[in-house]
Amino acid sequence: MSLKVQTSNITNKNDPKSINSRVFIGNLNTAVVKKSDVETIFSKYGRVVGCSVHKGYAFVQYSNERHARAAVLGENGRVLAGQTLGKVSLHLSLSSPVFSEKTKDCCGIVKSTFHIRLK
């Protein structure tokens, strides 16, 4: 008999070590796919310590960055519940070497800018 360990809903820790272990899953059909489904799919890459599912997207928090990177490589572009996952990526913090910033131009159009922080 195996016991399913319930993961936390918390995926927004401010700890610099754990923030690079968070995976963003976009274009998720949350009308069909539930938190337990996301946990089952993504747990094959490593220990999931947190999972939060929102309308159309989810975050998975791993215990380390290596597991998060494996999940990104393994699941990006996967078809799940009839939809191709639009984007599976590391959710990087502003303290990370690479981060993105969304701004609106004068017409209200949202633009994403990617930055590389040089040390």
Side-chain angles (χ1 to χ4, degrees):
M1 181 167 118
S2 66
L3 293 175
K4 175 82 170 124
V5 176
Q6 188 70 17
T7 61
S8 169
N9 288 326
I10 300 172
T11 58
N12 61 350
K13 293 183 179 181
N14 293 322
D15 177 14
K17 290 182 181 177
S18 68
I19 205 156
N20 292 331
S21 302
R22 185 177 319 126
V23 175
F24 170 80
I25 302 119
N27 199 35
L28 187 63
N29 185 350
T30 51
V32 177
V33 180
K34 303 300 176 209
K35 179 182 175 189
S36 60
D37 300 322
V38 174
E39 290 171 347
T40 299
I41 292 164
F42 283 84
S43 66
K44 68 183 172 186
Y45 298 100
R47 185 169 163 251
V48 173
V49 295
C51 178
S52 61
V53 177
H54 309 273
K55 186 176 181 180
Y57 66 96
F59 288 101
V60 172
Q61 181 73 52
Y62 283 95
S63 59
N64 67 56
E65 186 175 346
R66 184 172 48 92
H67 296 157
R69 289 188 183 280
V72 169
L73 290 173
E75 297 299 324
N76 198 26
R78 174 188 176 135
V79 175
L80 183 62
Q83 287 184 203
T84 302
L85 297 180
K87 180 178 181 183
V88 178
S89 62
L90 287 181
H91 186 256
L92 301 173
S93 72
L94 291 178
S95 62
S96 297
V98 179
F99 66 94
S100 66
E101 174 182 40
K102 290 187 178 182
T103 56
K104 289 185 180 180
D105 67 9
C106 62
C107 300
I109 297 172
V110 176
K111 295 184 176 188
S112 294
T113 306
F114 289 88
H115 303 274
I116 299 174
R117 189 183 313 277
L118 300 175
K119 293 185 177 192

